[in-house]
Amino acid sequence: VYFGPERECQRRELMIFLWRMAGSPEVDRNGRAYGDARDYFPDLGAYEASTATNKAIAWGYKEGIVRGFSDGTFGPSLSVNRKDTMIMLYRYAGKPYYERTKQMTFSDVAGVYSESTDTYNAICWAYNQGIANGYSTGAYAGQYGCLLSCLREHIVTFLYRYSR
């Protein structure tokens, strides 16, 4: 089995990682089934209700962790970017309160996203918790890298830092 650490992580894979971290739940805290993700997103037709992809996306949607795109699709095989990764992890964590002990000055976040958005708060939370950092060198120096694709190795690093 090959993990593919340098491969871009797909949106459906991130949802499966989070779902498994949550214990692979199939019912909510009130005992209600999460349902079939194909009922929420029309582009999931290839994923039967019994698949991990379907279960994870249905769970994530019903728990408010993930939303689709403005056209109503989910984009399961699209690469997940760093911004959306942090938003999903922040929502998974329950949008926790956090102390802003470090001033976030990423040029692709500060002044770009309102401080009241999940985008801003997710990245600021992750930065202050030591889950994710921006780039200090290279072409993206001074940025968080919001729109850059997350590699699978980045995802597991973020999840590890979150869970410790």
Side-chain angles (χ1 to χ4, degrees):
V1 176
Y2 179 69
F3 179 69
E6 72 290 338
R7 189 171 58 76
E8 292 180 357
C9 187
Q10 297 176 347
R11 289 171 52 85
R12 68 178 191 82
E13 293 172 327
L14 176 56
M15 289 311 306
I16 292 170
F17 290 157
L18 292 173
W19 177 66
R20 287 182 176 154
M21 238 171 69
S24 305
E26 295 195 26
V27 296
D28 67 15
R29 59 187 68 80
N30 297 315
R32 290 187 297 260
Y34 289 110
D36 188 332
R38 296 172 297 182
D39 294 337
Y40 314 131
F41 301 107
D43 59 336
L44 297 178
Y47 302 99
E48 296 293 325
S50 63
T51 64
T53 293
N54 188 301
K55 291 176 183 181
I57 294 170
W59 163 80
Y61 177 76
K62 293 300 259 184
E63 291 293 332
I65 295 167
V66 68
R67 299 180 187 125
F69 294 109
S70 60
D71 66 358
T73 62
F74 180 77
S77 61
L78 296 177
S79 295
V80 65
N81 62 39
R82 288 171 56 90
K83 171 181 72 79
D84 290 344
T85 297
M86 280 311 118
I87 291 170
M88 290 182 215
L89 185 57
Y90 177 64
R91 290 176 182 159
Y92 171 85
K95 295 183 175 185
Y97 171 80
Y98 60 95
E99 293 287 333
R100 291 187 185 186
T101 56
K102 297 189 281 188
Q103 180 64 28
M104 185 181 65
T105 59
F106 302 131
S107 62
D108 59 339
V109 179
V112 176
Y113 298 100
S114 166
E115 290 187 26
S116 64
T117 63
D118 278 359
T119 299
Y120 185 91
N121 282 297
I123 295 168
C124 192
W125 165 76
Y127 177 65
N128 276 272
Q129 299 301 309
I131 296 167
N133 299 306
Y135 291 88
S136 58
T137 61
Y140 300 102
Q143 297 181 28
Y144 172 70
C146 287
L147 301 179
L148 297 176
S149 293
C150 259
L151 301 180
R152 290 169 59 94
E153 66 185 324
H154 299 152
I155 299 292
V156 295
T157 299
F158 296 149
L159 297 179
Y160 170 76
R161 288 176 181 164
Y162 167 75
S163 66
R164 60 185 167 146

